[in-house]
Amino acid sequence: GQQLNQSPQSMFIQEGEDVSMNCTSSSIFNTWLWYKQDPGEGPVLLIALYKAGELTSNGRLTAQFGITRKDSFLNISASIPSDVGIYFCAGQLDSGGGADGLTFGKGTHLIIQP
Amino acid sequence: KAGVTQTPRYLIKTRGQQVTLSCSPISGHRSVSWYQQTPGQGLQFLFEYFSETQRNKGNFPGRFSGRQFSNSRSEMNVSTLELGDSALYLCASSLRPRGKPNWAYNEQFFGPGTRLTVL
């Protein structure tokens, strides 16, 4: 199936550093979602974006819906040890007849060194 | 409010068998979607159920099927299991209230998943 291009694949950073990851697609979406998944658990929704150009924050997390509707980024400021995990972007298209299933990126594995 | 629950959490089956997985959505959520997660293919959409009807389907063979009950609970079934069906199966629910544009309420909340191992 279709997948989003998510980068980087993994990140090794020091505690306190800022983190940035992004997703690009060849198709447009009208919803972008960012999830975090811990080992043995399901993905947890972090941020949802609904408008092109929209910038949304959730605590130390900030995400933007690209103006072309084909990309999104997620920033994490001042990383802490509990930020460790796999981050997924997901796009969804609703062309008027109802939303399609989510299309996911391959994930960014965030590892934090204390 | 309780989250999405899935049962069982772990399952071991052998090739050729069939399996049924269960999902209870968040109270008040009317839509249930199923996803398969594997190391190689990542997270892939299987199907979505809304008002007891399959509304959307991903690119999976007919061995994968599902249904939704009047209380929005959902089950998915995999028949004639193959080794490649070993995966984490995730269920997600979303609100989809009546009279609202779908795009504003498409946020999907995931359960912990069922880890299926096929031997």
Side-chain angles (χ1 to χ4, degrees):
Chain A
Q2 180 192 3
Q3 294 236 331
L4 303 176
N5 296 312
Q6 185 172 350
S7 64
Q9 204 170 8
S10 58
M11 300 183 75
F12 294 80
I13 62 166
Q14 300 281 342
E15 184 178 347
E17 286 185 10
D18 296 343
V19 171
S20 185
M21 59 191 79
N22 68 82
C23 271
T24 59
S25 169
S26 56
S27 308
I28 62 170
F29 292 108
N30 43 25
T31 301
W32 279 93
L33 304 164
W34 284 91
Y35 288 88
K36 176 176 182 268
Q37 186 174 28
D38 292 328
E41 300 295 328
V44 173
L45 181 64
L46 299 174
I47 290 181
L49 301 156
Y50 295 106
K51 284 186 193 175
E54 178 182 1
L55 185 72
T56 296
S57 293
N58 178 8
R60 293 179 296 106
L61 277 58
T62 302
Q64 184 158 31
F65 192 144
I67 198 76
T68 65
R69 297 169 64 191
K70 292 183 179 182
D71 62 302
S72 177
F73 73 72
L74 174 70
N75 288 341
I76 305 172
S77 63
S79 57
I80 59 177
S82 61
D83 291 334
V84 164
I86 304 178
Y87 292 79
F88 292 97
C89 61
Q92 189 172 42
L93 181 66
D94 186 341
S95 45
D100 296 338
L102 295 177
T103 299
F104 279 88
K106 286 274 197 178
T108 294
H109 194 174
L110 182 61
I111 298 157
I112 298 176
Q113 299 160 332
Chain B
K1 197 185 240 185
V4 178
T5 57
Q6 291 187 246
T7 56
R9 289 294 308 273
Y10 302 92
L11 208 46
I12 299 175
K13 292 284 189 179
T14 56
R15 277 183 300 175
Q17 287 187 308
Q18 75 162 17
V19 68
T20 299
L21 312 181
S22 181
C23 172
S24 292
I26 293 171
S27 176
H29 282 199
R30 302 163 64 213
S31 168
V32 173
S33 298
W34 288 89
Y35 294 83
Q36 181 195 64
Q37 186 175 26
T38 60
Q41 298 299 315
L43 276 149
Q44 293 192 293
F45 172 69
L46 280 156
F47 30 65
E48 180 199 3
Y49 284 85
F50 177 68
S51 292
E52 302 177 60
T53 302
Q54 187 181 93
R55 209 187 56 74
N56 247 328
K57 190 176 191 309
N59 189 25
F60 279 82
R63 299 185 298 107
F64 293 82
S65 63
R67 59 177 175 167
Q68 187 181 34
F69 302 95
S70 58
N71 61 359
S72 295
R73 193 177 68 83
S74 176
E75 290 181 345
M76 70 162 279
N77 184 278
V78 188
S79 62
T80 319
L81 284 165
E82 301 176 0
L83 295 178
D85 296 334
S86 294
L88 181 67
Y89 288 89
L90 292 158
C91 160
S93 74
S94 59
L95 195 54
R96 291 200 183 281
R98 291 186 180 87
K100 298 289 184 183
N102 287 340
W103 62 263
Y105 295 90
N106 284 341
E107 296 169 10
Q108 295 189 15
F109 298 88
F110 283 83
T114 295
R115 171 74 62 186
L116 173 64
T117 303
V118 182
L119 303 175

